[in-house]
Amino acid sequence: MSNWIYDEYKHCGVDYSSEEHAKKYDTEHQTFRDYEKEFNSMIEFLSLKNTHELEVIDLGCGTGATSVYATKQFKKVYGVDISDVMISQAKKKLSDMDISNIEFINAGFLSYEHKNEPVDLLITKAAFHHLPDFWKQIALLKMNNMIRTGGILYIHDVVFHFDAADYKEKIDNWISIFEKNAGAKFKEEVETHIRDEYSTFKWILDGMIERAGFRIENCRSNDEFITEYHCVKVKNIKI
């Protein structure tokens, strides 16, 4: 690999590379998230039918918050994450279940090479912000190659909808909501996200998605931050 390729293994923002932090991830996030409700909401948002016939890549699967539920509905699941300790946590969730339709791969947005046929759906939740914008575009092009034409790309992440001139008020208000719901410790993690990670503006991400051969079918956000994208691959772009 060329020396100028972005190092996905490099620490960015909140550090979930240690086993201790990986174990705490679900405990902290479940103070303000319902994983099963999120999964069912995603299925509805994407208007997915006959999911038992579909194959899915969960890119940036983390501790398996989505992958675990996907195994119950989809034909095949590929859980991909750059952190081996996060994957270990995901595997522990499945250890007492009789599940054989998931494969975990230790890789990232830029390093993962999908060896099988293009999938019907690619999901990335709360992970895409770890890449700077240039590398987000490259990652989207790589995702294009992983999805069949007509297949779906689902992005769930922090994306800024507000006018840049309003950034101080908008961000302060958003962080205060997390402090109220999840406590002072998680407030610090949200502050770290804003300061050290790479969430971007909606108008920028929209352009990247379209340039990577996708059509944005739907986009929704209740707070101008947490955003869901339903995109369809309309053009095959080889890289």
Side-chain angles (χ1 to χ4, degrees), residues 14-193:
V14 180
D15 184 7
Y16 291 116
S17 62
S18 72
E19 185 175 355
E20 177 187 358
H21 282 90
K23 287 179 179 178
K24 289 169 55 180
Y25 181 90
D26 287 324
T27 302
E28 291 178 342
H29 278 246
Q30 286 172 340
T31 61
F32 62 93
R33 296 174 63 186
D34 182 329
Y35 290 159
E36 185 173 12
K37 184 178 179 180
E38 283 184 13
F39 180 81
N40 292 332
S41 177
M42 178 191 73
I43 297 294
E44 181 181 358
F45 176 63
L46 298 177
S47 301
L48 291 176
K49 308 294 182 184
N50 301 319
T51 55
H52 64 282
E53 300 176 358
L54 307 179
E55 296 194 352
V56 56
I57 296 172
D58 186 4
L59 192 48
C61 68
T63 63
T66 299
S67 295
V68 169
Y69 293 103
T71 59
K72 302 173 184 179
Q73 293 200 33
F74 287 86
K75 177 182 178 181
K76 175 74 175 184
V77 180
Y78 300 92
V80 183
D81 201 274
I82 201 72
S83 170
D84 55 353
V85 294
M86 295 289 266
I87 287 178
S88 293
Q89 287 297 113
K91 288 180 177 178
K92 287 178 182 177
K93 293 180 181 179
L94 298 169
S95 61
D96 59 349
M97 304 179 192
D98 184 20
I99 294 173
S100 59
N101 64 334
I102 186 166
E103 178 182 346
F104 286 106
I105 303 100
N106 185 202
F109 289 103
L110 305 175
S111 55
Y112 178 56
E113 299 290 341
H114 191 63
K115 303 298 184 182
N116 298 294
E117 291 296 313
V119 298
D120 305 285
L121 169 65
L122 189 150
I123 299 166
T124 180
K125 291 191 66 174
F128 205 36
H129 58 264
H130 288 114
L131 292 178
D133 283 356
F134 176 87
W135 294 107
K136 285 190 184 77
Q137 184 69 80
I138 303 305
L140 284 165
L141 292 171
K142 291 178 70 68
M143 290 180 207
N144 177 287
N145 290 186
M146 301 177 199
I147 305 171
R148 65 170 176 81
T149 302
I152 295 172
L153 168 64
Y154 173 78
I155 301 174
H156 180 165
D157 216 310
V158 177
V159 182
F160 305 135
H161 293 242
F162 52 83
D163 190 293
D166 300 326
Y167 78 100
K168 290 183 179 179
E169 178 184 0
K170 294 289 186 179
I171 291 173
D172 279 341
N173 288 342
W174 190 61
I175 290 173
S176 68
I177 292 171
F178 276 99
E179 182 178 22
K180 179 180 178 180
N181 293 336
K185 180 62 178 176
F186 200 78
K187 173 195 173 187
E188 294 177 7
E189 293 201 6
V190 179
E191 290 173 332
T192 299
H193 177 115

Side-chain angles (χ1 to χ4, degrees), residues 205-218:
L205 187 56
D206 285 1
M208 290 183 185
I209 290 169
E210 291 167 355
R211 285 175 180 270
F214 296 97
R215 179 180 68 244
I216 300 171
E217 292 288 297
N218 198 4

